[in-house]
Amino acid sequence: MKITLIGLGNLKGDLTKRAETVLKSARKIIARTAKTPSFANLDGFVAETLDSVFETCRNFDTLNKKLASSVLNTAKMCDVCYCVDGAVCEDEACRIILKKHKDAEIIEGVSKSAYCASLAKLGSPQYTAVSAYGIEELKSCRAAVVYDIDCYYIATLVKEKLALYFGDEAECSFIKDGRVQKIKVYEIDRQEDYNLSCSVAVEEGEFLKKERFDFDDLVHIIRLLRAPDGCPWDRAQTCESIKSNVIEEAYELADAIERGDDDGIEEETGDVMLQTAFHSVMKEEQGVFCASDAITRLVKKLIFRHSHIFGNDKAQGADDALTVWERNKVKEKHMTTFGESVSAVPKNFPACMRAQKVGKRAGKCGMDFLSPVSASEKMFEEVGELIEAMQRGDEKAVFEEAGDVLFSVVNTCRKAGVDCEEALRKATDKFTERFVKFEQLVIADKKDVTELNGTEYDYYWQKAKDALTKS
């Protein structure tokens, strides 16, 4: 049987002549709802409504599936015209019907978003339109129109999403029953009541006066700073000249995390983003890649490496997930030998971190210690060789054996399940704290630190340890 999808528009009089002609000869007319002004366009026609379906559904997805199912079931018995408020292209149930009946005829009407945009007199010719029931699909954009805001709960969701992209204080147009009211975004869920005619239109202001910014804005401002009339310092930079900034900002972020400073984490996260955006803009200028290329590559990598989520692999816990990740990483980078994996550990990592990663990757092929104890045996062997080199006064050998001792210590700690970088950092912090306390105690006794004998050093050091332990 034939299905015809008709958009009724938003007001009485929006019905097209073509739609009117088809309706006059229709055997069965079904309207999505009778609770909008556009239903008046069916005056004079015998139309069944699906308003009862709305009362039995808890979410938007279920509602549209049931609406589509009602139409499809009717179409098994006779030709049917399904009429929706607004436009067919905006209706999710119509999309479901079209997937199953690609031969369905479409007669469009004035869309809800176009009606809202015209009433709001949006300055932007381009805007993103979305139903309030699909508000989670809205992405960052220059202007947005949201329709179907029919209750307080939905209005709250719309407010939160628009505040994310445009700011709480951004001005928007709230439209209800054809009347426009200028309000702030934070007021969207503070209106007296709501119905299916309610919609909101909002657009961003001038760039420098915007309430909220996104990653695209960050890239844009870097382009402005590197333009011929931009900042001399920013224009002079290269990837090489600011490469150390990436490391510095990463360490500052890690420091804020360590302090539990949420405000600092927010700031430093932004600074890390600045570095990534800066490098992407400079490479864009060279025609190598742009920020979108880098983000696309990242997302594809995440999808590929999480094959236990997006593919056929299985992972029971964090360890299994990491194993899948590492296996997919090897595939992605086309590594055919363990040596390639070991060599791929960046040489500019902190030495302790690099040693731990190299040891771990080498162990993947089975060349590893059986236990922390067996690793420690190698450690003591290396210590003995270092002592022998020092006794001989062989500076070159001392340097080499010292490195072997440190590497063997890392292996021992690694096999014991210790994060060596973190452990060494904590140990250094502990020593620093004790040393400061040690010196304070010496000074409090009116003594000179540099003139203490061995026994006194031990005494004050133990006293410092005890004091810090008690505190």
Side-chain angles (χ1 to χ4, degrees):
M1 299 297 178
K2 182 179 180 181
I3 298 177
T4 304
L5 305 175
I6 298 175
L8 297 177
N10 298 271
L11 303 170
K12 184 174 183 178
D14 282 352
L15 193 67
T16 64
K17 287 290 185 182
R18 181 179 165 212
E20 187 176 354
T21 300
V22 170
L23 288 170
K24 285 179 179 178
S25 59
R27 290 185 57 190
K28 184 74 172 181
I29 301 174
I30 299 177
R32 178 176 184 269
T33 178
K35 296 180 179 180
T36 62
S38 62
F39 183 72
N41 287 310
L42 294 179
D43 287 349
F45 297 102
V46 177
E48 171 189 331
T49 74
L50 298 179
D51 284 322
S52 60
V53 178
F54 285 73
E55 300 172 3
T56 64
C57 299
R58 292 184 176 182
N59 58 62
F60 189 56
D61 186 54
T62 301
L63 169 64
N64 285 304
K65 287 178 179 177
K66 286 192 174 183
L67 292 174
S69 179
S70 296
V71 175
L72 292 170
N73 288 335
T74 303
K76 293 177 181 178
M77 298 177 286
C78 65
D79 293 347
V80 59
C81 288
Y82 180 50
C83 302
V84 299
D85 43 310
V88 172
C89 64
E90 290 179 334
D91 191 88
E92 185 62 31
C94 286
R95 294 192 187 99
I96 296 173
I97 293 169
L98 286 168
K99 285 181 180 179
K100 298 188 176 184
H101 274 264
K102 297 185 183 301
D103 59 343
E105 183 180 3
I106 298 175
I107 303 177
E108 274 297 10
V110 179
S111 70
K112 298 174 186 177
S113 57
Y115 176 62
C116 176
S118 64
L119 289 177
K121 295 181 172 56
L122 285 180
S124 175
Q126 296 179 327
Y127 56 85
T128 298
V130 62
S131 167
Y133 281 86
I135 190 64
E136 70 280 354
E137 298 174 6
L138 183 67
K139 296 182 179 180
S140 178
C141 55
R142 303 307 177 201
V145 172
V146 185
Y147 49 90
D148 291 340
I149 308 175
D150 62 351
C151 67
Y152 167 77
Y153 172 70
I154 293 299
T156 299
L157 297 182
V158 172
K159 177 197 71 173
E160 291 173 351
K161 194 70 170 183
L162 294 183
L164 177 65
Y165 294 132
F166 298 93
D168 288 328
E169 294 286 341
E171 185 178 81
C172 64
S173 296
F174 184 85
I175 298 167
K176 178 183 176 184
D177 297 327
R179 295 187 295 275
V180 181
Q181 179 185 1
K182 294 294 184 181
I183 63 174
K184 300 290 187 180
V185 166
Y186 71 82
E187 296 177 299
I188 290 175
D189 62 351
R190 298 185 182 184
Q191 305 308 301
E192 291 185 2
D193 61 291
Y194 305 87
N195 58 43
L196 282 172
S197 75
C198 294
S199 56
V200 167
V202 60
E203 57 187 329
E204 63 182 24
E206 298 176 29
F207 182 76
L208 297 181
K209 296 180 180 179
K210 285 176 61 173
E211 292 275 341
R212 301 280 293 182
F213 296 92
D214 57 22
F215 192 78
D216 286 340
D217 292 320
L218 174 58
V219 171
H220 177 63
I221 199 167
I222 293 174
R223 288 174 182 151
L224 293 178
L225 293 172
R226 286 180 60 83
D229 58 346
C231 172
W233 185 89
D234 289 292
R235 289 203 313 271
Q237 301 314 304
T238 64
C239 287
E240 184 68 24
S241 70
I242 63 170
K243 67 180 182 181
S244 62
N245 292 12
V246 178
I247 299 172
E248 291 175 12
E249 298 298 353
Y251 273 118
E252 289 180 9
L253 172 57
D255 181 64
I257 294 171
E258 180 69 20
R259 298 194 313 270
D261 180 359
D262 287 341
D263 185 65
I265 293 173
E266 178 184 354
E267 180 180 0
E268 300 304 338
T269 297
D271 289 345
V272 171
M273 288 182 182
L274 169 62
Q275 296 306 311
T276 61
F278 213 139
H279 285 280
S280 69
V281 168
M282 288 188 287
K283 285 303 177 184
E284 179 183 358
E285 293 167 351
Q286 298 169 15
V288 180
F289 67 84
C290 65
S292 180
D293 294 326
I295 293 172
T296 297
R297 182 170 182 170
L298 171 61
V299 174
K300 286 183 176 180
K301 177 167 65 177
L302 290 173
I303 293 171
F304 179 77
R305 294 191 186 178
H306 284 87
S307 55
H308 53 293
I309 302 297
F310 307 113
N312 297 322
D313 287 325
K314 304 295 181 183
Q316 297 301 320
D319 290 340
D320 284 352
L322 184 59
T323 298
V324 172
W325 172 279
E326 294 291 352
R327 184 170 65 242
N328 288 335
K329 183 177 181 179
V330 170
K331 290 180 184 177
E332 174 193 297
K333 295 187 176 296
H334 306 292
M335 294 178 181
T336 57
T337 67
F338 290 102
E340 289 176 313
S341 175
V342 170
S343 299
V345 178
K347 292 184 178 181
N348 61 354
F349 268 8
C352 188
M353 180 188 295
R354 183 180 177 221
Q356 182 157 345
K357 283 189 172 291
V358 164
K360 182 178 179 181
R361 291 193 181 184
K364 295 289 185 181
C365 73
M367 194 190 78
D368 203 358
F369 297 98
L370 296 176
S371 68
V373 174
S374 61
S376 68
E377 292 171 355
K378 181 64 175 176
M379 177 182 69
F380 290 126
E381 178 187 322
E382 296 295 353
V383 170
E385 293 177 4
L386 173 60
I387 293 172
E388 290 177 6
M390 290 189 294
Q391 289 172 339
R392 295 195 309 270
D394 187 341
E395 293 184 4
K396 182 179 179 181
V398 168
F399 179 84
E400 183 177 345
E401 296 301 340
D404 290 344
V405 168
L406 293 171
F407 190 75
S408 64
V409 169
V410 168
N411 277 327
T412 301
C413 295
R414 173 177 62 82
K415 291 300 292 183
V418 174
D419 182 327
C420 300
E421 189 76 21
E422 183 71 6
L424 181 57
R425 187 178 66 82
K426 287 287 188 181
T428 304
D429 288 343
K430 181 171 64 176
F431 175 84
T432 301
E433 186 179 18
R434 286 179 179 175
F435 182 84
V436 170
K437 187 64 176 178
F438 157 81
E439 186 179 39
Q440 289 173 347
L441 292 172
V442 173
I443 294 173
D445 284 348
K446 302 186 182 330
K447 293 184 179 181
D448 187 338
V449 175
T450 62
E451 296 180 355
L452 298 179
N453 59 41
T455 301
E456 288 174 316
Y457 271 118
D458 291 340
Y459 168 77
Y460 283 108
W461 185 257
Q462 187 60 50
K463 194 174 180 180
K465 288 173 63 177
D466 292 343
L468 290 172
T469 300
K470 292 176 182 178
S471 62

